[in-house]
Amino acid sequence: MYLEELIVLFVFFLLAFIYGQVKKDNSVVDIAWGLGFVISAWYNLMRNFEPGVRGILITLCITLWGLRLSLHIARRNHGKPEDYRYVAMREKWGKRFVYFKAFLQVYLLQMLIQYIVSLPVVYGNLVLQRMSWYNWFGLLLWMIGFFFETVGDYQLKKFKKDAKNKGKLMDQGLWSLTRHPNYFGDSSMWFGIFLIALDGVHGLWIIVGPCLMTFFLVFVSGVRMLEKKYKGRLDFETYKKKTSPFIPWFPKKEVK
């Protein structure tokens, strides 16, 4: 199943790459990210003649998360030019082998990351034994993560829509508990998927999936990039002192 998973993802990201080059916009890979997980989850479920409870739960969770995320990004990017990250990549690549570099550094890289993150999805569909207490705790953790990501995105979107908040920093609602509620939610959901898929100590190796996702969210493409963008702003530095960086916690009352 693991080889089949890799083939399915390769074909999907190859199609996304072709579409992105036709549109001359590599931002489509951000929309494809969530959809890739959904396709992967359904493929792994449907290839089983007798899908187990774990597989069904994981597939439903991934579908809800992936479709919401892709739709959210598609709406956010609609009518806008290519994301500045991919524009910077194009400038760095120059004019030689640009398509090869785009496929290798954008699409193939994300495919490999997604393959590793999806290991609990594949594993969970191979396990047919009864659910244990930690599997149900995993579902609860996933629900908490989905709440933080969904509500966090909604609150930020609503905040930005208000003309009075133009140029201001979002520090309300869930954003008063953590500077990155959406990224915390994403990480929590994948650790939840890991726990749902787990069937004992011999399955602990699949924790590499949520760990890799969290590493990228915190140290590569998520938290680190945004914190660097706002570094030096007076309002952000104040916000930074009173608000938890990742794991939600009550804001500090006094800022020194």
Side-chain angles (χ1 to χ4, degrees):
M1 284 188 72
Y2 295 102
L3 179 59
E4 292 178 23
E5 168 82 1
L6 187 61
I7 294 172
V8 168
L9 288 178
F10 180 82
V11 172
F12 174 74
F13 275 92
L14 178 61
L15 293 174
F17 163 73
I18 294 172
Y19 180 70
Q21 304 323 296
V22 171
K23 287 199 66 178
K24 296 181 179 180
D25 184 357
N26 287 319
S27 300
V28 299
V29 74
D30 295 333
I31 302 173
W33 175 254
L35 291 177
F37 282 106
V38 175
I39 291 173
S40 170
W42 278 99
Y43 174 79
N44 281 283
L45 180 71
M46 298 303 292
R47 75 178 304 281
N48 290 329
F49 294 106
E50 296 180 4
V53 176
R54 281 182 180 79
I56 294 173
L57 281 177
I58 289 172
T59 301
L60 292 177
C61 288
I62 294 295
T63 301
L64 188 59
W65 168 79
L67 291 181
R68 190 212 71 86
L69 180 63
S70 291
L71 184 60
H72 171 73
I73 295 175
R75 287 175 174 173
R76 187 186 65 188
N77 293 357
H78 180 68
K80 295 181 179 179
E82 186 178 42
D83 188 279
Y84 73 93
R85 295 170 297 165
Y86 303 115
V87 172
M89 286 182 182
R90 287 183 186 276
E91 294 175 353
K92 184 179 179 181
W93 293 335
K95 296 182 179 180
R96 298 187 63 185
F97 308 109
V98 62
Y99 294 118
F100 175 75
K101 292 175 181 177
F103 180 69
L104 190 67
Q105 297 183 31
V106 178
Y107 297 85
L108 188 62
L109 177 61
Q110 292 208 30
M111 183 211 77
L112 292 174
I113 295 171
Q114 187 164 129
Y115 174 72
I116 297 174
V117 173
S118 293
L119 289 176
V121 179
V122 183
Y123 188 88
N125 275 281
L126 295 173
V127 179
L128 298 177
Q129 68 186 55
R130 294 179 62 182
M131 297 272 286
S132 300
W133 66 268
Y134 50 82
N135 301 128
W136 294 111
F137 177 76
L139 180 59
L140 175 62
L141 181 60
W142 183 91
M143 292 172 67
I144 293 172
F146 187 73
F147 171 80
F148 268 85
E149 183 177 79
T150 304
V151 176
D153 282 340
Y154 171 76
Q155 290 177 341
L156 181 61
K157 182 180 178 181
K158 188 177 180 181
F159 179 83
K160 287 184 175 181
K161 270 190 173 183
D162 192 339
K164 297 178 181 178
N165 297 324
K166 188 175 181 180
K168 294 182 179 180
L169 197 69
M170 174 57 161
D171 60 356
Q172 305 167 16
L174 295 181
W175 298 82
S176 67
L177 303 177
T178 166
R179 300 200 295 269
H180 304 279
N182 47 355
Y183 294 141
F184 165 77
D186 211 337
S187 174
S188 298
M189 281 187 283
W190 281 103
F191 275 103
I193 293 296
F194 155 71
L195 287 174
I196 295 173
L198 193 62
D199 66 336
V201 292
H202 58 280
L204 286 174
W205 66 273
I206 58 174
I207 199 174
V208 65
C211 284
L212 181 64
M213 174 66 90
T214 302
F215 173 79
F216 273 91
L217 287 172
V218 176
F219 299 107
V220 182
S221 62
V223 173
R224 185 178 181 182
M225 187 176 290
L226 281 177
E227 300 258 320
K228 185 178 179 180
K229 179 180 179 181
Y230 290 106
K231 186 178 180 180
R233 277 183 49 167
L234 183 60
D235 55 352
F236 177 72
E237 294 302 325
T238 301
Y239 175 59
K240 187 176 180 180
K241 290 178 181 178
K242 69 178 182 179
T243 310
S244 173
F246 193 70
I247 299 175
W249 193 249
F250 301 104
K252 295 178 182 178
K253 294 182 179 180
E254 295 183 6
V255 181
K256 297 182 180 180

